[in-house]
């Protein structure tokens, strides 16, 4: 496997406060990494450093092998989709205009191609055709979230960053979006970094889970390994509830984590 994202000795300081220090992480291409940890531990900061929205104060970040401090932000972001919680859609643009915004920038001349991309991604994220002409204010929270995901994916990026994208939707919609996202991931082979504060979601979606506390990595492992062998007290407490609902023998814990059974029982 080759490396999609690499953090090397990353440091980030806000004012007097060091929020990230000595941060080393390699995300292999095609991995679905869920990022979890207490509030304020630096999850959003880590994510935003990948697409240059936050600049580190020390260390280097490599995306697809290139040091991003030497890249122009436009070509970096062209290859990285970004979706966050709540609606960040352009309120004065229709669903279609929102989704086609980036593809339009990328291939100005080929309108037909953009139209096809919009059609394709609306279908994949489960938006009805008749929603094309609607404005964000005319959509439910779940529908807005779907448009946000379609928009993040419409430029066919190699990397998708998501920051608590399903935080504001109801349980049922959340379950549907999780399933759809996992299918998109499996179909496209895209590399994903997905921040969540929900351990069930982290275990269900991730091929790898990154557990953070106070700007440091507690553990970076496959969901089944996290459940079977938590490497710190912090991780142990985090997965404790999940382990209790998983009353299966050890060798089946992997299935339990991946099937989302734990999440549904909670
Ligand atoms: N722009 C900023 N200015 C000052 N402090 C910030 C800024 N952004 C984040 N922080 C602080 O950095 C820490 C990590 O924040 P963040 O990455 O948003 O955490 P998380 O996403 O894990 O909740 C927090 O203590 C937060 O208050
Ligand atoms: Mg955050």
């Amino acid at each position: 496997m080759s490396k999609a994202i690499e953090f090397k000795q990353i440091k980030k300081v806000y004012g007097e406060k060091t929020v990230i220090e000595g941060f080393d992480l390699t995300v292999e291409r095609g991995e679905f990494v869920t990022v979890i940890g207490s509030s304020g531990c630096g999850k959003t900061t880590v994510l935003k450093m990948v697409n240059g929205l936050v600049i580190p104060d020390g260390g280097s970040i490599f995306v697809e092998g290139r040091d991003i401090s030497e890249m122009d932000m436009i070509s970096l972001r062209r290859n990285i989709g970004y979706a966050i919680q709540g609606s960040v859609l352009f309120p004065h643009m229709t669903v279609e205009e929102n989704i086609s915004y980036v593809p339009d920038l990328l291939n100005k001349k080929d309108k037909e191609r953009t139209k096809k991309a919009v059609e394709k991604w609306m279908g994949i994220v489960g938006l009805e055709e008749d929603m094309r002409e609607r404005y964000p204010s005319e959509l439910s929270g779940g529908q807005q979230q779907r448009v946000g995901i379609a928009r993040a994916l419409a430029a066919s990026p190699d990397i998708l960053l998501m920051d608590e994208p399903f935080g504001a939707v109801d349980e049922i919609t959340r379950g549907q979006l999780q399933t759809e996202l996992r299918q998109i991931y499996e179909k496209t082979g895209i590399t994903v970094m997905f921040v969540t504060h929900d351990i069930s979601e982290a275990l269900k979606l991730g091929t790898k889970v990154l557990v953070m506390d106070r700007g440091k990595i507690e553990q970076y492992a496959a969901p089944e390994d996290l459940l079977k062998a938590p490497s710190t007290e912090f991780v142990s407490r985090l997965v404790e509830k999940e382990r209790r609902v998983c009353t299966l023998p050890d060798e089946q814990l992997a299935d339990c984590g991946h099937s989302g059974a734990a999440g549904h029982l909670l």
Side-chain angles (χ1 to χ4, degrees):
M1 267 202 247
S2 55
K3 297 166 184 173
I5 307 166
E6 230 186 330
F7 296 83
K8 283 192 181 165
Q9 284 298 299
I10 289 301
K11 180 177 178 175
K12 182 65 203 172
V13 182
Y14 287 117
E16 304 269 279
K17 203 172 154 204
T18 301
V19 293
I20 311 267
E21 199 168 19
F23 189 93
D24 281 314
L25 176 74
T26 300
V27 175
E28 305 289 346
R29 201 173 280 167
E31 207 83 71
F32 192 134
V33 178
T34 49
V35 185
I36 188 159
S38 31
S39 176
C41 73
K43 304 180 294 295
T44 295
T45 303
V46 163
L47 212 66
K48 283 184 170 175
M49 285 196 282
V50 178
N51 63 359
L53 286 173
V54 168
I55 308 293
D57 296 299
S60 312
I61 296 171
F62 295 83
V63 170
E64 305 285 351
R66 294 178 67 191
D67 184 338
I68 65 169
S69 68
E70 291 164 8
M71 287 177 77
D72 72 279
M73 286 301 144
I74 294 166
S75 47
L76 173 68
R77 286 178 197 158
R78 186 171 290 170
N79 201 27
I80 302 179
Y82 183 54
I84 62 173
Q85 180 176 339
S87 181
V88 287
L89 304 174
F90 302 118
H92 58 288
M93 289 185 187
T94 62
V95 167
E96 176 167 18
E97 287 163 348
N98 264 284
I99 300 173
S100 53
Y101 186 74
V102 178
D104 259 348
L105 286 178
L106 295 182
N107 49 82
K108 284 196 179 78
K109 295 195 189 90
D110 199 345
K111 294 274 175 215
E112 199 47 40
R113 190 166 145 200
T114 300
K115 201 161 176 240
K116 286 220 176 77
V118 172
E119 213 165 88
K120 177 179 116 180
W121 286 109
M122 282 185 69
I124 290 174
V125 302
L127 288 167
E128 304 291 332
E129 183 60 31
D130 65 1
M131 288 180 186
R132 265 174 183 271
E133 300 304 319
R134 286 205 220 161
Y135 288 89
S137 62
E138 299 165 338
L139 302 172
S140 72
Q143 289 162 346
Q144 289 182 28
Q145 212 67 77
R146 288 183 155 90
V147 177
I149 294 167
R151 192 178 65 172
L153 288 163
S156 302
D158 290 326
I159 295 172
L160 178 62
L161 307 175
M162 305 183 96
D163 197 346
E164 308 203 26
F166 308 150
V169 297
D170 63 84
E171 250 342 279
I172 294 168
T173 307
R174 189 185 173 99
Q176 288 168 349
L177 287 170
Q178 286 171 341
T179 307
E180 279 156 20
L181 178 64
R182 185 71 200 196
Q183 285 167 355
I184 291 167
Y185 160 74
E186 277 159 16
K187 264 190 239 159
T188 57
I190 199 168
T191 306
V192 185
M193 275 188 94
F194 181 104
V195 172
T196 175
H197 60 257
D198 177 350
I199 183 65
S200 314
E201 185 169 69
L203 293 167
K204 175 181 173 184
L205 289 178
T207 55
K208 283 269 185 72
V209 182
L210 174 71
V211 183
M212 290 179 60
D213 187 33
R214 284 173 280 180
K216 293 247 157 39
I217 296 175
E218 291 281 315
Q219 192 165 1
Y220 181 51
E224 52 272 29
D225 294 332
L226 217 69
L227 288 163
K228 265 192 279 188
S231 65
T232 66
E233 188 56 39
F234 183 87
V235 180
S236 185
R237 264 185 283 123
L238 187 69
V239 299
E240 194 181 7
K241 222 163 57 173
E242 299 296 314
R243 286 177 62 88
R244 261 190 268 128
V245 290
C246 281
T247 50
L248 301 167
D250 259 6
E251 61 271 22
Q252 286 176 38
L253 269 180
D255 303 332
C256 181
H258 263 304
S259 67
H264 290 306
L265 286 170
L266 281 172

